[in-house]
């Protein structure tokens, strides 16, 4: 088992998008047949670990889904292949999927798998002690993504802090870069997600999480914000209308297993040079909470629509999101 896990993780870390090709002849499922779907993801990080564990434990086959994994070393190529329809199911930022749907890409959302509890501001020992003290401070962040757009919009709306205007922002390409800038005292704070927060807490003496974005949202709007999510191609739903519910069952069981076995999940990070102690801290802190929140449930759909409307008003989405985006 360990060899299989190590081989799969290591090979995926070396993967390129060159092998990804469009699906062949349509598969029409009967109720007793397994659904066959391709699942995309990045070749590093917790999502790779989760997918590897799902395949290793056979949660997909248990719920009559045959998942073909396609891992990518580059986010832009991964997302481009999903937009082009070369992957049936993708895990990524919910607002990316919302943006593509508004632009006319034939996809739907299955549900969120994490909230903004896994993202927040990491500050050094001399960094700001309140959100209000972020004003005028230098911040490192990956600009252009949904986390940044939502944080920028809500800070302006609720704290009268306009990022870039009131606080200079250094654009970063990955979470480790933000942690490095704070460690070197070249940024007062960094907006990052797990395992970046846990990495900073372990590596920078006296560092702390100023606030998670979920804490900030709950304080001001009383809602959890969806972050990473699962999206599916309309074509895959046409081939087998039952695949959505089957995938729900797969991910419910997978994430329940992760919650019960955090040590096992954390140990899987070794192959990617992710310190198991860091991964376990991200999990046991309650920040990295993996749980499927299917949008066919009214509460989860309402939460996502609320933040979609908020982002639309702030210019973070190219238009309004309608109800057909959600799997019913």
């Amino acid at each position: 088992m360990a060899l299989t896990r190590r081989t799969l993780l290591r090979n995926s870390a070396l993967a390129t998008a060159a092998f990804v090709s469009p699906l062949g002849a349509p598969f029409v499922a009967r109720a007793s047949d397994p659904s066959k779907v391709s699942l995309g993801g990045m070749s590093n990080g917790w999502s790779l670990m989760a997918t590897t564990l799902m395949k290793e434990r056979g949660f997909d086959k248990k719920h009559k889904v045959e998942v073909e994994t396609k891992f990518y070393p580059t986010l832009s190529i991964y997302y481009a292949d999903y937009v082009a329809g070369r992957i049936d199911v993708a895990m990524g930022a919910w607002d990316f999927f919302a943006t593509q749907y508004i632009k006319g890409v034939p996809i739907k959302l299955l549900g969120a798998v994490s909230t903004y509890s896994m993202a927040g501001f990491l500050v050094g020992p001399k960094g700001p002690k309140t959100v209000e003290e972020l004003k005028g401070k230098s911040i490192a962040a990956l600009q252009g993504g949904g986390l940044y757009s939502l944080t920028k919009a809500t800070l302006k709306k609720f704290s009268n802090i306009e990022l870039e205007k009131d606080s200079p922002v250094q654009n970063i390409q990955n979470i480790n870069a933000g942690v490095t800038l704070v460690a070197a005292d070249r940024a007062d704070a960094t907006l990052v997600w797990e395992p970046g927060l846990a990495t900073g807490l372990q590596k920078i003496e006296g560092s702390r999480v100023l606030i998670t974005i979920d804490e900030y949202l709950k304080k001001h709007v009383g809602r959890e914000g969806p972050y990473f999510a699962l999206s599916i191609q309309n074509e895959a739903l046409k081939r087998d209308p039952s695949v959505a519910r089957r995938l729900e069952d797969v991910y419910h069981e997978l994430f329940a297993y992760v919650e019960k076995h955090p040590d096992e999940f954390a140990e899987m990070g070794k192959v990617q040079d992710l310190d198991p102690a860091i991964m376990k801290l991200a999990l046991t802190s309650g920040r990295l909470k993996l749980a499927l929140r299917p949008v066919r449930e009214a509460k989860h759909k309402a939460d996502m629509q609320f933040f979609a409307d908020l982002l639309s008003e702030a210019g973070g989405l190219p238009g309004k999101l309608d109800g057909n985006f959600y799997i019913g």
Side-chain angles (χ1 to χ4, degrees):
M1 179 180 295
L3 179 61
T4 300
R5 172 183 292 173
R6 181 170 291 274
T7 301
L8 178 54
L9 284 163
R10 182 171 288 151
N11 288 348
S12 65
L14 300 173
T16 67
F19 69 87
V20 180
S21 60
L23 295 175
F27 167 74
V28 181
R30 297 182 298 273
S32 60
D33 291 330
S35 293
K36 299 177 181 178
V37 294
S38 53
L39 170 67
M42 292 298 294
S43 59
N44 54 60
W46 63 265
S47 61
L48 169 64
M49 294 160 61
T51 301
T52 302
L53 186 62
M54 178 252 287
K55 292 293 294 179
E56 182 182 286
R57 293 289 173 179
F59 294 139
D60 55 338
K61 291 184 178 180
K62 178 178 177 180
H63 296 288
K64 296 186 177 180
V65 184
E66 288 187 10
V67 171
E68 175 192 4
T69 56
K70 298 180 184 294
F71 297 117
Y72 294 77
T74 306
L75 183 66
S76 59
I77 298 176
Y78 164 37
Y79 276 170
D81 264 13
Y82 184 62
V83 170
R86 289 191 280 268
I87 311 168
D88 292 320
V89 182
M91 183 181 291
W94 76 270
D95 60 288
F96 169 78
F97 300 132
T99 294
Q100 299 310 311
Y101 170 82
I102 292 169
K103 290 180 177 180
V105 178
I107 58 176
K108 290 188 181 294
L109 201 83
L110 185 70
V113 301
S114 68
T115 72
Y116 287 114
S117 66
M118 68 177 294
F121 286 102
L122 175 78
V123 299
K126 296 183 289 185
K129 293 180 171 55
T130 66
V131 171
E132 288 69 29
E133 289 182 14
L134 284 170
K135 198 165 192 173
K137 303 296 185 182
S138 61
I139 297 169
L142 196 158
Q143 295 172 283
L147 171 63
Y148 182 78
S149 297
L150 183 75
T151 303
K152 183 178 181 180
T154 52
L155 282 176
K156 182 178 180 181
K157 186 178 182 71
F158 302 116
S159 298
N160 194 31
I161 300 173
E162 189 169 352
L163 295 182
E164 297 165 40
K165 180 181 178 182
D166 297 326
S167 301
V169 178
Q170 302 178 65
N171 189 35
I172 59 175
Q173 297 303 312
N174 56 66
I175 54 178
N176 290 331
V179 173
T180 299
L181 287 170
V182 171
D185 205 21
R186 292 172 54 197
D188 296 304
T190 183
L191 176 64
V192 291
W193 56 95
E194 291 294 6
L197 293 173
T199 298
L201 292 174
Q202 187 190 69
K203 295 185 178 298
I204 306 172
E205 186 176 355
S207 64
R208 64 192 185 282
V209 177
L210 177 65
I211 195 170
T212 68
I213 303 308
D214 236 19
E215 290 169 338
Y216 188 76
L217 294 174
K218 286 177 181 177
K219 177 180 178 181
H220 292 288
V221 301
R223 291 176 183 266
E224 281 189 319
Y227 192 9
F228 287 100
L230 284 164
S231 176
I232 187 167
Q233 298 281 349
N234 287 359
E235 188 58 39
L237 293 170
K238 290 178 183 176
R239 293 201 310 267
D240 179 9
S242 73
V243 69
R245 294 298 293 271
R246 298 189 195 193
L247 284 169
E248 281 187 28
D249 292 339
V250 171
Y251 279 93
H252 279 312
E253 185 162 1
L254 169 63
F255 292 145
Y257 186 89
V258 171
E259 184 177 10
K260 291 178 180 177
H261 303 86
D263 289 327
E264 179 183 347
F265 188 70
E267 284 293 317
M268 295 176 68
K270 283 183 176 178
V271 179
Q272 301 180 58
D273 293 325
L274 289 174
D275 185 344
I278 289 175
M279 288 304 304
K280 186 173 181 181
L281 176 59
L283 290 164
T284 57
S285 68
R287 289 188 298 269
L288 181 54
K289 296 184 292 188
L290 299 176
L292 180 65
R293 299 162 179 84
V295 292
R296 64 181 179 81
E297 295 182 12
K299 180 189 182 304
H300 301 316
K301 179 179 177 181
D303 283 341
M304 187 163 290
Q305 188 64 46
F306 176 89
F307 288 105
D309 291 342
L310 190 154
L311 271 182
S312 293
E313 292 168 9
L317 290 177
K320 298 287 285 186
L321 191 65
D322 65 50
N324 290 325
F325 177 56
Y326 309 108
I327 291 178

